[in-house]
Amino acid sequence: MPEFFRELLENAEKSLNDMFVRTYGMLYMQNSEVFQDLFTELKRYYTGGNVNLEEMLNDFWARLLERMFQLINPQYHFSEDYLECVSKYTDQLKPFGDVPRKLKIQVTRAFIAARTFVQGLTVGREVANRVSKVSPTPGCIRALMKMLYCPYCRGLVTVRPCNNYCLNVMKGCLANQADLDTEWNLFIDAMLLVAERLEGPFNIESVMDPIDVKISEAIMNMQENSMQVSAKVFQGCGQPKPAPALRSARSAPENFNTRFRPYNPEERPTTAAGTSLDRLVTDIKEKLKLSKKVWSALPYTICKDESMTAGASNEEECWNGHSKARYLPEIMNDGLTNQINNPEVDVDITRPDTFIRQQIMALRVMTNKLKNAYNGNDVNFQDTSDESSGSGSGSGCMDDVCPTEFEFVTTEAPAMDPDRREVDSSAAQLGHSLLSGSLVCMVLALQRLCR
């Protein structure tokens, strides 16, 4: 998906360049850096740069006004100070009509939604990847060894663990991971809401495809109102000095004598991704929905494997931890606090896993940003001091759209607590590989979402 957005921007820039070269020729090429800078800043924002979209777009229109004002008044010489005065009249005169205002709203909301959505995919993938590397506790490893190998000591080599027995072991081993579920589900819900925005009013593809035509309409408005605009600027900034004779011989009609061809909605650029944004987002939404409740479902995913347990239908002919018989204890509920009476795994419910809690916080932070993006608001991606407030950058942006920079703070797995007892390395590796299997599958699925 990141590649799709980047290529969409490149296609829009190429389309504008091709159209303006055909229409204005040398006049455009002599001023092309104004448009190139616009796309450079849009790309920089999307890739995480500290760009205020509103200020950047205001600057673009101010620079374009300065350049065009000189072209429609070639008989005058304008100093830098005079041009600065001209740019101050951008909002008051509205030389480009209503195009800048509408485009500002469309661009800011679309880019905020697109960037936040892609960053959300990255955060989800990274959280899953980190959690998959969390080592099992010594108590979990002992319970796994008892469940998987003690039947051999009793000569029950063909008897597999009871399904409910396996569930209690796994619920104890994955107690901290199950606590991710609530925040993870809120995160997925927020991702799905932003996805709906990307399919609807915040569709970056529908904004960027015709941006060349929208800018051309603004230029046409400037052409048609050039005399009124010039008169008001001369009144406010003063009468400019005459230009040298050679320059003043050029007339405005010679500079602007061609209109753009009408925009055809069917002429949408084709990206290398070979798909439209709508189809791409629909595919990702389906995969996101499948990942809901994944953490609380992990014990069931592991224990329903036929190679792991005797199955739910074979409750009498299975290993219950002591003999070949039905497993009688009740199945524990999900989460750390519900493992206080787990009969199979010794779980200290007073010591939540710090690393898992860090991932819960990472999800909470990202969910807050997604909620802001859903409402068309940007947040300060560098400011982690008050994530719960949901406030913007405080720059007074139009429609509460305040672009800022994204910075996801990564976390590293903490070292094992010093009071944990050492366990046999081969047993530890067995426990880790068993718990990681299902987690890795989910990580791979999330990685595919982000491609």
Side-chain angles (χ1 to χ4, degrees):
M1 191 162 189
E3 291 79 8
F4 178 89
F5 287 137
R6 280 193 291 267
E7 195 160 340
L8 186 66
L9 289 175
E10 290 171 2
N11 281 340
E13 182 175 13
K14 183 179 183 301
S15 177
L16 183 144
N17 184 71
D18 291 346
M19 178 183 283
F20 276 52
V21 167
R22 289 195 308 268
T23 304
Y24 291 130
M26 188 57 67
L27 282 175
Y28 163 69
M29 289 185 277
Q30 291 172 345
N31 297 278
S32 61
E33 75 276 4
V34 175
F35 303 92
Q36 291 170 356
D37 290 346
L38 168 66
F39 283 96
T40 296
E41 290 301 287
L42 287 174
K43 291 174 186 175
R44 193 161 74 87
Y45 172 84
Y46 173 70
T47 56
N50 188 15
V51 177
N52 186 308
L53 283 176
E54 182 184 354
E55 291 179 2
M56 183 272 292
L57 290 169
N58 288 341
D59 183 61
F60 164 74
W61 292 112
R63 290 177 66 193
L64 185 59
L65 175 60
E66 290 178 12
R67 298 296 178 94
M68 287 195 63
F69 192 76
Q70 293 177 82
L71 291 172
I72 63 177
N73 293 286
Q75 67 272 32
Y76 296 108
H77 169 72
F78 300 101
S79 66
E80 290 297 323
D81 289 341
Y82 195 97
L83 291 175
E84 185 176 345
C85 178
V86 171
S87 66
K88 292 179 181 178
Y89 279 82
T90 306
D91 291 336
Q92 180 181 337
L93 297 177
K94 291 184 171 49
F96 300 111
D98 205 31
V99 174
R101 184 190 68 83
K102 290 181 178 178
L103 198 60
K104 183 188 297 184
I105 294 173
Q106 293 169 346
V107 168
T108 51
R109 289 178 173 176
F111 271 76
I112 289 167
R115 183 171 82 163
T116 307
F117 188 74
V118 171
Q119 296 292 357
L121 289 175
T122 301
V123 169
R125 181 192 63 192
E126 291 300 320
V127 166
N129 186 55
R130 294 188 185 103
V131 173
S132 72
K133 297 175 182 177
V134 173
S135 298
T137 63
C140 170
I141 294 172
R142 285 193 295 272
L144 287 171
M145 292 292 290
K146 178 183 177 183
M147 182 177 75
L148 295 175
Y149 289 105
C150 282
Y152 290 88
C153 303
R154 302 292 180 88
L156 304 174
V157 294
T158 62
V159 179
R160 295 193 180 116
C162 299
N163 185 71
N164 290 350
Y165 174 33
C166 174
L167 285 175
N168 272 343
V169 171
M170 290 304 164
K171 289 198 175 197
C173 287
L174 297 169
N176 282 284
Q177 284 86 338
D179 283 346
L180 275 166
D181 222 43
T182 299
E183 205 61 52
W184 177 267
N185 292 338
L186 292 173
F187 162 73
I188 295 298
D189 287 339
M191 287 286 290
L192 291 171
L193 286 174
V194 175
E196 290 179 5
R197 291 296 206 199
L198 287 173
E199 293 176 313
F202 297 1
N203 188 313
I204 191 173
E205 188 174 25
S206 64
V207 171
M208 293 308 299
D209 278 0
I211 195 171
D212 49 1
V213 178
K214 292 177 181 178
I215 293 176
S216 79
E217 291 174 359
I219 292 174
M220 295 303 110
N221 288 330
M222 175 71 177
Q223 274 187 258
E224 294 169 359
N225 300 310
S226 59
M227 293 184 64
Q228 298 94 315
V229 170
S230 296
K232 290 182 180 179
V233 169
F234 294 160
Q235 183 179 0
C237 298
Q239 190 68 23
K241 297 178 180 179
L246 180 63
R247 182 179 176 187
S248 62
R250 293 160 45 197
S251 63
E254 292 174 341
N255 292 334
F256 299 103
N257 57 9
T258 309
R259 284 186 177 276
F260 287 96
R261 58 185 173 81
Y263 173 63
N264 185 352
E266 295 180 358
E267 299 176 2
R268 305 179 78 175
T270 301
T271 66
T275 181
S276 69
L277 178 62
D278 291 341
R279 279 208 307 263
L280 185 62
V281 172
T282 298
D283 181 56
I284 291 176
K285 280 171 60 180
E286 292 305 310
K287 293 176 181 177
L288 286 171
K289 290 175 183 177
L290 291 175
S291 71
K292 287 197 70 172
K293 299 184 178 180
V294 67
W295 303 105
S296 59
L298 271 176
Y300 299 90
T301 302
I302 294 172
C303 294
K304 74 177 181 180
D305 189 334
E306 293 181 357
S307 63
M308 175 65 67
T309 68
S313 62
N314 193 1
E315 298 180 356
E316 303 293 342
E317 303 291 320
C318 57
W319 171 251
N320 65 8
H322 304 282
S323 62
K324 180 181 176 182
R326 174 185 289 269
Y327 183 75
L328 298 177
E330 65 175 333
I331 301 174
M332 298 292 101
N333 290 324
D334 301 321
L336 184 64
T337 56
N338 289 316
Q339 306 310 309
I340 187 170
N341 294 318
N342 191 308
E344 310 305 335
V345 185
D346 183 16
V347 181
D348 186 354
I349 66 169
T350 66
R351 300 185 61 189
D353 189 289
T354 304
F355 183 62
I356 297 293
R357 265 53 195 176
Q358 289 173 341
Q359 307 316 307
I360 291 175
M361 181 55 66
L363 290 171
R364 189 170 298 160
V365 168
M366 194 66 236
T367 299
N368 182 58
K369 293 170 182 175
L370 288 163
K371 289 178 179 178
N372 276 280
Y374 175 78
N375 292 317
N377 302 330
D378 209 349
V379 291
N380 194 332
F381 286 96
Q382 288 183 321
D383 182 9
T384 58
S385 60
D386 189 18
E387 295 292 357
S388 61
S389 66
S391 61
S393 60
S395 61
C397 309
M398 181 188 65
D399 290 336
D400 296 322
V401 180
C402 305
T404 44
E405 182 176 9
F406 174 86
E407 180 177 321
F408 178 65
V409 181
T410 60
T411 53
E412 299 297 333
M416 182 174 287
D417 295 334
D419 60 340
R420 286 186 177 174
R421 289 165 286 180
E422 294 184 359
V423 294
D424 178 77
S425 61
S426 61
Q429 187 165 356
L430 169 68
H432 187 275
S433 62
L434 179 63
L435 294 180
S436 297
S438 294
L439 291 169
V440 168
C441 290
M442 188 183 67
V443 172
L444 293 174
L446 284 167
Q447 287 175 337
R448 286 194 292 271
L449 283 179
C450 299
R451 289 174 186 165

